């Protein structure tokens, strides 16, 4: 163990990133396990919410039965009686335009709590939210006149089970944290080692002076 | 494949850097920056001589030779030593990661100036293999901006197809090389120095170009504009000298020459940097009592720095004079003055001789802005100036190295003087060059000032990092700088949401660009290359015309209007709109037809049609303009029938 620590101390940056990757993997597995337990116990349920029943802004059903944006800030609000982990929607609009805002129940939307949609299949977008999301807001393609879903009976699928690899994708602030935190940790570790050495040197010098 | 080709360019840069570290004994972390400056100078000169492509091949051939030397048994030791320098290794890891990230993320140009020049110039150089000055493009003027940054983007996409992300990545690799040279003195494993140094550099553009709580997407690190690279290169020209314990000036000379070829204002900044470095060299020789010969040599080197600036600056002037019709002596503007006349007149007014009300108002406003207006995340620009002087003072106070104390003192004093001179120069441009609607509100004040402050603060950080080598008491400067950087990082994190940056943002910000790109491709598919296309987008303020000029190139989008009044706008019959309506083209149908024939525009691309255009010019189109109701449309000239005939709708309306 001591040898490992000495080796790690000689290669602090590599050790910090290696540790970060291991912790990230454990975190991802932990989240996957937590969700699996949630599905097993009923804490999480896959539900389909009709778009017609969701509080909406700047989105309306047109005469052709398509959901079309009518203003500059189209959005659907989701506040189901369960945590929100994912939202899937079949759509004719490009996935690039979709974004999701998340937060605890009652929390106002924030640019800091935002995720981007992925296209999982032709015509389907997926948004994945972090643990602890009590409410979410789905913003489809901005601007008026964009058709985002077809059919009066179109639905959102909330909390469809995610494939395991999705848990390993950093979202939101997790991205910069994974990229930067190990470097910061290595720097702090190195600074701590510097001060430990300086203090040891001073103690030794003090001891020698007393003698 | 674009990624692989750009990584090849990065590998070439690595080969040059290893050669510089081995043969020139340059500190390894400073080598990539020096190599990039040399690349910019080489390709700029080649472009001016009309041999850009052969020069590019020669550059990569030289890179192959350097790589062979580095990999040969005799060169491996030097290569290992270079790689052991944490800043050197970190630079190439970060640069490669950036290229991979941009290849996946595909950032695009988003601002007016990228389409009015910087991005379009990059595309022209790549597509034509020549500089942009005499390009076949519908500009009504000569593209006279300097080429160093444009050819930098060309270096990173010399092989493979043109791509905006490759241009943007090239700029960012230059910035990374500047941040890396701050780590030049850090020994192996000293992450307590390397991480704060890299972090400090990375944070600078956020700190000095943004203010308040940011709520809109920012294009930092995904922009082809020149201001940030210009400012950081100015700082790096000094930092590369401060990072070298041998205090050689040739890397700084390379950087200054490159700076003078980045933008016109780079020359003023280069003179300031040359003055600071030259004064330091001469004072150093005198202070260290190395004799008259050494002092003379230092003076000669200082003069050499100024000579490099002059040669570099003038080379572009001479090239423009020879290659184009641009008037390179007149700074233009409302006063139509030459540069020297502007400075002399300004100095006279400063001394109270013939001072005008405009001079007083502009200078007073600038001073108020400097101290009282929040223009950065740190507050007013004066706070940035104060932080710069404080860093230099800390470097001077907390080092045992006498030479560094002197360098920091010279830097602080002359840097302040240089800032005052630069500040005054910008004020003169507001007084004598810009229109009153710009000078009254000091429009763009922040944009003209922050390049100097970016570089000045970067150079001060280089001094502080150098002070860590022989700091007193031990650990103070390293800890203080790390804490400062952590504080600045927290400030940026709190003020700039990650999802508004190019690193965390979504693709939605490029949705409109992708739509116009797709539309331009459809137009190119139906118009033969070499044909001139007239552009109509009613209500355009020029931005749509610039955008499509860029998107369509190398297809030729005509200036689409009379000299000085084209490049977008609203076409309508005389009297249909008030005469002073901005971008109003009052053509009769006959005048428009005559223009179309004279300009050789056999195709018309109507992006946006309105009632005014229909009322005025429907007679020029077979069947009227009914097809424009379906969306953007392309028309082709039928000379025999004397009308333009409908070709197709584009952009989803087809």
């Amino acid at each position: 163990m001591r040898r490992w620590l000495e080796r790690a101390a000689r290669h602090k940056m590599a050790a910090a990133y290696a540790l970060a990757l291991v912790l990230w993997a454990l975190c991802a597995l932990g989240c996957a396990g937590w969700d699996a337990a949630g599905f097993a116990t009923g804490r999480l349920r896959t539900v389909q919410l009709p778009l017609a029943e969701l509080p909406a802004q700047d989105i309306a059903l047109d005469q052709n039965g398509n959901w079309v944006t009518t203003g500059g800030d189209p959005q659907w609000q989701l506040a189901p009686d369960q945590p929100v982990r994912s939202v899937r929607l079949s759509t004719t609009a490009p996935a690039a335009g979709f974004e999701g805002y998340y937060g605890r129940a009652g929390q106002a939307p924030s640019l800091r709590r935002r995720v981007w949609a992925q296209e999982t299949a032709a015509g389907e977008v997926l948004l994945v939210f972090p643990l602890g999301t009590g409410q979410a807001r789905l913003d489809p393609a901005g601007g008026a006149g964009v058709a985002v879903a077809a059919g009066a009976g179109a639905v959102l699928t909330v909390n469809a089970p995610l494939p395991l690899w999705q848990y390993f994708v950093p979202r939101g602030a997790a991205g910069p944290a994974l990229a930067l935190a190990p470097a910061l940790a290595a720097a702090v570790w190195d600074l701590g080692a510097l001060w430990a050495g300086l203090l040891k040197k001073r103690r030794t010098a003090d001891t020698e002076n007393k003698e | 494949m674009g990624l692989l080709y750009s990584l090849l360019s990065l590998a070439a840069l690595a080969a040059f850097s290893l050669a510089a570290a081995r043969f020139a004994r340059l500190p390894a972390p400073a080598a990539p920056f020096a190599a990039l400056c040399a690349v910019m100078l080489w390709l700029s000169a080649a472009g001016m001589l009309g041999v850009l492509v052969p020069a590019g091949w020669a550059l990569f051939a030289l890179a192959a030779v350097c790589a062979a030397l580095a990999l040969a048994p005799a060169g491996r030791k030097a290569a290992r030593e270079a790689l052991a320098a944490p800043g050197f290794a970190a630079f190439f890891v970060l640069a490669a990661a950036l290229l991979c990230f941009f290849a996946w993320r595909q950032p695009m140009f988003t601002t007016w100036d990228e389409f009015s020049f910087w991005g379009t110039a990059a595309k022209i150089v790549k597509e034509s293999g020549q500089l942009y000055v005499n390009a076949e493009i519908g500009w009504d003027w000569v593209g006279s901006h300097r080429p160093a940054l444009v050819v930098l983007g060309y270096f990173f996409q010399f092989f493979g197809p043109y791509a905006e992300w490759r241009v943007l990545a090239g700029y960012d690799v230059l910035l990374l090389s500047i941040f890396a040279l701050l780590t030049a003195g850090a020994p192996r494993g000293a992450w307590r120095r390397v991480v704060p140094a890299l972090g400090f550099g990375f944070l600078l553009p956020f700190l000095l170009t943004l203010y308040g709580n940011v709520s809109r997407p920012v294009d930092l690190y995904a922009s082809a504009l020149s201001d940030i690279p210009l400012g950081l290169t100015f700082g790096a020209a000094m930092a590369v000298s401060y990072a070298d314990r041998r205090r050689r000036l040739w890397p700084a000379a390379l950087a200054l020459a490159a700076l003078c070829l980045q933008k016109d204002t780079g020359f003023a900044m280069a003179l300031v940097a040359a003055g600071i470095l030259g004064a330091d060299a001469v004072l150093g020789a005198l202070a260290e009592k190395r004799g008259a010969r050494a002092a003379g040599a230092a003076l000669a080197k200082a003069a050499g720095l100024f000579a490099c600036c002059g040669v570099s600056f003038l080379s572009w002037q001479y090239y423009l004079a020879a290659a184009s019709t641009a008037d390179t002596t007149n700074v233009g503007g409302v006063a139509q003055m030459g540069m020297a006349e502007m400075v002399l007149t300004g100095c006279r007014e400063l001394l109270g001789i013939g001072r005008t009300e405009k001079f007083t108002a502009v200078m007073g406003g600038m001073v108020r802005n400097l101290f009282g207006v929040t223009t950065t995340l740190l507050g007013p620009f004066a706070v940035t100036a104060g932080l710069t002087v404080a860093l230099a003072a800390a470097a001077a106070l907390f080092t045992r190295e006498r030479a560094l104390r002197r360098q920091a003192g010279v830097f602080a004093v002359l840097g302040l003087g240089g800032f005052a001179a630069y500040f005054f120069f910008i004020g003169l441009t507001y007084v004598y060059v810009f229109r009153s609607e710009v000078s009254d509100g000091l429009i763009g004040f922040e944009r003209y000032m922050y390049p100097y402050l970016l570089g000045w603060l970067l150079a001060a950080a280089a001094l502080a990092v150098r002070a860590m080598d022989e700091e007193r008491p031990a650990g103070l400067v390293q800890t203080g700088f790390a804490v400062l950087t952590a504080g600045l990082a927290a400030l940026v994190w709190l003020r700039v949401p990650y999802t508004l940056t190019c690193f965390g943002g979504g693709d939605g910000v490029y949705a409109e660009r992708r739509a116009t790109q797709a539309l331009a491709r459809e137009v190119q598919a139906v118009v033969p290359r070499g044909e001139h296309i007239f552009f109509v987008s009613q209500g355009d303020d020029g931005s749509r015309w610039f955008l499509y000029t860029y998107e369509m190139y190398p297809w030729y989008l005509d200036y689409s209007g009379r000299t000085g009044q084209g490049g977008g706008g609203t076409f309508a019959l005389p009297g249909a709109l008030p005469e002073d309506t901005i971008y109003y083209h009052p053509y009769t149908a006959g005048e428009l037809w005559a223009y179309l024939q004279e300009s050789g525009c056999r195709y018309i691309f109507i992006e946006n049609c309105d009632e005014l255009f229909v009322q005025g010019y429907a007679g020029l189109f077979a069947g009227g303009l009914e097809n424009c109701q379906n969306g953007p449309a392309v028309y082709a000239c039928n000379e025999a029938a004397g009308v333009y005939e409908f070709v197709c709708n584009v952009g989803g309306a087809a």
Side-chain angles (χ1 to χ4, degrees):
Chain A
M1 182 69 173
R2 190 172 176 178
R3 211 185 309 170
W4 277 104
L5 285 172
E6 283 171 3
R7 201 169 179 184
R10 282 200 301 273
H11 305 281
K12 295 184 182 73
M13 190 61 73
Y17 273 97
L19 182 64
L21 286 174
V22 168
L23 289 175
W24 178 251
L26 289 174
C27 178
L29 291 171
C31 288
W34 181 247
D35 282 358
F39 282 111
T41 59
R43 179 172 47 84
L44 292 177
R45 302 177 306 283
T46 304
V47 296
Q48 295 196 320
L49 302 178
L51 295 180
E53 293 178 15
L54 293 175
Q57 172 181 301
D58 289 348
I59 307 176
L61 206 55
D62 70 1
Q63 58 219 27
N64 298 323
N66 293 320
W67 291 95
V68 177
T69 58
T70 59
D73 189 16
Q75 47 185 266
W76 276 299
Q77 311 276 353
L78 286 85
D81 56 353
Q82 59 169 318
V84 180
R85 293 291 281 132
S86 70
V87 167
R88 278 186 202 269
L89 174 70
S90 293
T91 178
T92 49
F98 285 78
E99 57 194 44
Y101 292 81
Y102 61 91
R104 292 187 302 279
Q107 203 172 20
S110 167
L111 290 168
R112 295 183 183 279
R113 293 188 300 277
R114 184 159 66 154
V115 294
W116 308 104
Q118 314 162 33
E119 188 173 35
T120 49
E124 186 176 87
V125 299
L126 167 71
L127 290 98
V128 179
F129 296 98
L131 278 180
T133 299
Q135 67 177 26
R137 193 180 95 186
L138 174 63
D139 287 25
V146 180
V148 294
V155 296
L156 276 178
T157 305
V158 177
N159 290 341
L162 295 169
L164 182 62
W165 68 265
Q166 285 278 5
Y167 290 93
F168 290 87
V169 177
R171 302 185 198 279
L178 195 57
L180 299 175
L184 296 174
V188 171
W189 184 359
D190 194 41
L191 203 56
L194 170 74
W195 280 103
L198 289 172
L199 288 170
K200 188 177 176 185
K201 210 170 167 183
R202 182 177 285 184
R203 273 199 292 271
T204 308
D206 287 345
T207 308
E208 283 173 1
N209 285 341
K210 282 177 189 167
E211 286 170 2
Chain B
M1 285 303 283
L3 173 60
L4 286 176
Y5 288 133
S6 290
L7 286 171
L8 188 61
S9 298
L10 187 65
L13 179 62
F16 291 139
S17 304
L18 288 171
R22 180 182 169 194
F23 296 110
R25 296 274 186 260
L26 203 56
F33 173 67
L36 280 173
C37 289
V39 164
M40 285 191 278
L41 289 170
W42 173 258
L43 292 177
S44 295
M48 287 188 251
L49 293 170
V51 291
L52 185 62
V53 175
W57 281 107
L59 199 59
F60 281 92
L62 181 63
V65 169
C66 291
L69 289 172
L71 293 172
R76 281 182 205 160
K77 182 174 174 235
R80 273 198 298 271
E81 281 172 8
L83 285 167
F88 186 86
F91 165 74
F92 283 102
V93 169
L94 290 172
L98 177 94
L99 286 172
C100 294
F101 176 73
F102 271 25
W104 168 74
R105 180 84 173 81
Q106 301 272 318
M108 305 177 83
F109 303 145
T110 52
T111 58
W112 180 306
D113 283 353
E114 286 172 308
F115 302 116
S116 66
F117 179 74
W118 295 100
T120 307
K123 192 176 186 185
I124 292 171
V125 170
K126 173 60 185 171
E127 298 279 356
S128 70
Q130 296 173 17
L131 290 183
Y132 40 81
V133 169
N134 295 314
E136 270 290 305
I137 193 166
W139 290 341
D140 190 44
W141 53 87
V142 171
S144 58
H145 283 300
R146 288 157 186 272
L149 291 171
V150 178
V151 298
L152 174 68
Y154 179 66
F155 174 70
F156 280 94
Q157 56 181 336
F158 182 76
F159 299 109
Y162 171 78
E164 290 174 31
W165 72 264
R166 301 174 78 189
V167 175
L168 299 172
Y171 276 50
D172 284 358
V173 171
L174 173 65
L175 301 189
L176 282 175
S177 73
I178 291 172
F179 306 153
L181 76 86
L182 289 180
T183 71
R188 185 173 182 169
W191 300 110
R192 62 184 181 273
R193 291 175 55 168
V194 173
V195 172
L198 290 174
F200 187 89
F202 177 79
L203 292 169
L204 281 180
F206 290 97
L207 289 168
L208 296 194
T209 67
L210 303 173
Y211 56 89
N213 287 314
V214 176
S215 58
R216 290 179 171 278
V218 297
D219 61 358
L220 291 174
Y221 294 103
S223 170
L225 300 186
S226 61
D227 305 295
I228 291 174
L230 181 78
L232 289 174
T233 303
F234 162 59
M238 292 180 278
V240 76
S241 180
Y242 296 145
D244 183 5
R245 296 190 74 92
R246 291 165 62 175
R247 283 177 271 149
R248 288 168 295 183
L249 290 179
W250 68 263
L254 271 181
L256 292 177
L259 182 63
C260 290
L261 285 175
Q262 287 185 356
K263 202 172 181 184
D264 284 345
T265 45
F267 181 57
M269 290 191 239
L271 291 178
V272 172
I276 291 173
L277 293 173
D280 177 60
V282 173
L283 288 172
L286 293 171
E288 289 161 19
K289 295 176 184 164
R290 284 185 262 140
R293 205 166 179 175
L299 196 61
K301 285 178 190 171
L305 288 179
F306 285 99
C308 280
C309 297
V311 168
S312 179
F313 181 77
L314 289 172
S315 65
W316 183 248
Q317 305 288 99
Y318 288 135
Y319 167 72
L320 282 184
S324 76
T325 55
D327 179 359
T328 60
T329 60
N330 196 319
V331 296
V334 295
Q336 291 296 319
M337 284 182 176
M339 181 78 73
E341 188 187 350
M342 184 181 81
V343 173
L344 286 171
T345 307
C347 289
R348 277 201 296 271
E349 289 203 48
L350 181 67
L351 294 171
I353 304 168
R355 185 179 292 180
T356 59
E357 208 173 300
K358 187 174 183 182
F359 183 93
T360 305
V362 165
M363 293 302 178
M366 284 184 63
V367 172
R368 277 193 299 279
N369 278 6
L370 180 66
F371 288 98
V373 175
T374 298
T375 41
T376 73
L377 289 183
L378 299 172
F381 280 135
V383 173
T384 307
L387 177 62
T388 305
V389 174
L391 272 176
L397 286 170
F398 300 119
T399 184
R400 276 191 293 268
E401 192 188 339
R402 288 177 75 178
L404 180 58
R405 282 205 291 274
R406 184 193 62 251
Q407 282 183 305
V410 169
F411 170 81
V413 171
L414 292 186
L416 266 175
F419 178 66
Y422 184 78
F423 184 82
F424 179 63
F425 178 76
I426 297 297
L428 295 184
T429 58
Y430 276 113
V431 176
Y432 302 115
V433 179
F434 294 129
R435 301 188 305 271
S436 55
E437 52 263 33
V438 174
S439 58
D440 288 349
L442 294 178
I443 308 283
F445 170 74
E446 306 83 21
R447 198 175 149 194
Y448 297 125
M449 293 307 305
Y450 73 63
Y452 187 99
L453 289 164
L454 267 173
W456 196 28
L457 187 49
L458 181 99
L463 288 168
V465 171
R466 238 300 276 299
M468 296 175 191
D469 291 348
E470 292 185 45
E471 57 184 344
R472 57 170 189 189
L476 179 66
V477 180
Q478 291 178 76
T479 307
F481 191 79
V483 169
L484 171 68
T485 303
L488 295 175
L491 177 65
V492 171
W493 182 258
L494 289 172
R495 293 290 185 86
V496 186
Y498 172 68
T499 60
L500 292 179
T501 68
C502 73
F503 303 106
D507 261 353
V509 70
Y510 303 126
E512 191 186 342
R513 276 295 323 279
R514 295 200 204 284
T516 53
Q517 204 172 59
L519 200 150
R521 297 290 170 270
E522 290 184 55
V523 174
Q524 288 172 319
V526 298
V527 176
R529 188 168 164 173
E531 291 286 352
H532 286 203
I533 306 169
F534 191 84
F535 179 69
V536 175
S537 185
Q538 296 292 84
D540 179 28
D541 60 355
S543 58
R544 304 303 291 173
W545 180 81
F546 276 121
L547 176 59
Y548 279 104
T549 301
Y550 167 78
E551 297 284 18
M552 300 269 199
Y553 185 86
W555 271 248
Y556 188 100
L557 199 72
D558 188 73
Y559 188 55
S560 308
R562 294 195 188 92
T563 301
Q565 294 180 20
T570 299
F571 295 87
L573 294 175
L577 291 171
E579 264 189 41
D580 58 355
T581 303
I582 293 180
Y583 308 118
Y584 170 35
H585 304 303
Y587 288 123
T588 62
E591 286 170 343
L592 183 59
W593 176 262
Y595 178 96
L596 291 166
Q597 299 309 302
E598 280 166 23
S599 60
C601 291
R602 289 170 38 78
Y603 287 84
I604 299 178
F605 167 44
I606 302 178
E607 193 211 14
N608 182 34
C609 189
D610 66 1
E611 266 309 303
L612 287 172
F613 194 81
V614 171
Q615 283 169 8
Y617 314 111
L620 300 178
F621 297 86
L625 286 159
E626 286 169 5
N627 296 102
C628 286
Q629 293 175 8
N630 300 330
V634 178
Y635 290 81
C637 184
N638 183 335
E639 283 175 27
V643 289
Y644 279 80
E645 292 174 340
F646 175 70
V647 175
C648 66
N649 285 112
V650 292

